[in-house]
Amino acid sequence: MASLLEMKEIFRNADAVCFDVDSTVIREEGIDELAKFCGVGDAVAEMTRRAMGGTVTFKAALTARLGLIRPSYEQVQKLISDNPPQLTPGIRELVSRLHQRGVQVFLVSGGFQSIVEHVALQLNIPTANVFANRLKFYFNGEYAGFDETQPTAESGGKGKVITHLKEQFHFKKVVMIGDGATDMEACPPGDCFIGFGGNVIRKQVKEKAKWYITHFDELLKELEER
């Protein structure tokens, strides 16, 4: 098990950094915002809390929440235009600095592709570097489920994405940064997990993560020290 010093060394020398999106790169939980927008906010927020605490499987929680929301294509697009995701302070600078160093940055999210791609655009992250869940719609725009074949649709999915990235790009050191249980369990195969509590603190993650931060400036400082 790597010590904190060793983890900092891994981060400074990483080939790739994978960020969770909801409550990490952006301030809110995308699915909760969509639920509020569709009028079922309270019920879905409670399900999200349980999912993030790791007490139910991710796919079961996602299926149940989307079954309540049943968002149409039009509602998803209107949410993005009327209430665009709010970037967490410091993330733009951190991603820019990583790019300057030649580090590949990926967004690996249990959230929705259309919302995450909007975030990627703001951070100059190519859409090919986005791994998220895809909503499905009927030809009339009504909700038709989600793509259950995506790795991010189930528990352990973020680890599968990291394994895929290592195989495809031959990365030696991959760092995962996020606020939830699904992020922490991605290491291994990830080489270092950094817990993030700048928007919401998940007790289980704060207690178990060896490296836990509450502001991205802490990671910028690590990069500057080299």
Side-chain angles (χ1 to χ4, degrees):
M1 193 68 85
S3 68
L4 182 56
L5 274 176
E6 287 166 334
M7 289 171 77
K8 290 185 173 185
E9 186 68 17
I10 290 168
F11 174 66
R12 286 195 296 268
N13 294 288
D15 308 298
V17 175
C18 297
F19 288 92
D20 169 51
V21 176
D22 294 330
S23 297
T24 300
V25 168
I26 62 174
R27 306 195 71 140
E28 58 274 284
E29 286 286 325
I31 195 164
D32 288 350
E33 295 305 304
L34 185 58
K36 276 188 248 175
F37 198 74
C38 296
V40 288
D42 291 345
V44 169
E46 178 53 36
M47 286 183 179
T48 297
R49 275 193 290 276
R50 289 208 300 272
M52 282 299 185
T55 54
V56 292
T57 69
F58 184 80
K59 187 181 273 188
L62 184 61
T63 304
R65 289 179 291 178
L66 282 172
L68 267 178
I69 304 169
R70 303 194 65 77
S72 68
Y73 176 81
E74 188 182 351
Q75 283 173 318
V76 174
Q77 297 309 310
K78 194 159 170 47
L79 171 70
I80 294 169
S81 63
D82 291 5
N83 301 301
Q86 301 299 304
L87 292 177
T88 300
I91 187 63
R92 202 187 289 275
E93 295 79 3
L94 178 57
V95 170
S96 176
R97 188 77 186 95
L98 289 167
H99 280 156
Q100 286 168 14
R101 292 164 66 94
V103 179
Q104 288 255 31
V105 178
F106 296 86
L107 299 180
V108 185
S109 172
F112 306 122
Q113 187 88 14
S114 49
I115 296 173
V116 177
E117 284 184 354
H118 178 82
V119 174
L121 199 64
Q122 294 180 70
L123 296 171
N124 296 314
I125 295 170
T127 53
N129 288 19
V130 169
F131 293 85
N133 287 315
R134 296 175 187 272
L135 294 170
K136 297 198 291 194
F137 303 98
Y138 293 112
F139 68 93
N140 64 355
E142 287 181 6
Y143 175 67
F146 63 96
D147 183 355
E148 297 190 24
T149 66
Q150 294 295 317
T152 49
E154 57 190 330
S155 300
K158 293 181 180 181
K160 286 180 185 168
V161 170
I162 290 175
T163 297
H164 162 74
L165 293 176
K166 284 187 162 187
E167 288 170 354
Q168 185 176 357
F169 298 107
H170 307 291
F171 293 140
K172 297 283 186 289
K173 300 289 179 194
V174 179
V175 173
M176 181 76 212
I177 301 171
D179 67 291
T182 59
D183 307 308
M184 189 162 57
E185 69 182 14
C187 299
D191 300 280
C192 167
F193 169 66
I194 303 171
F196 183 73
N199 293 309
V200 61
I201 291 175
R202 318 269 181 208
K203 185 168 176 280
Q204 176 196 9
V205 176
K206 187 179 183 186
E207 287 173 357
K208 290 187 179 175
K210 201 169 281 188
W211 189 0
Y212 196 81
I213 64 166
T214 54
H215 201 289
F216 288 124
D217 281 357
E218 296 171 61
L219 297 183
L220 271 170
K221 284 185 193 130
E222 282 301 322
L223 297 178
E224 302 309 329
E225 280 178 16
R226 194 174 167 191

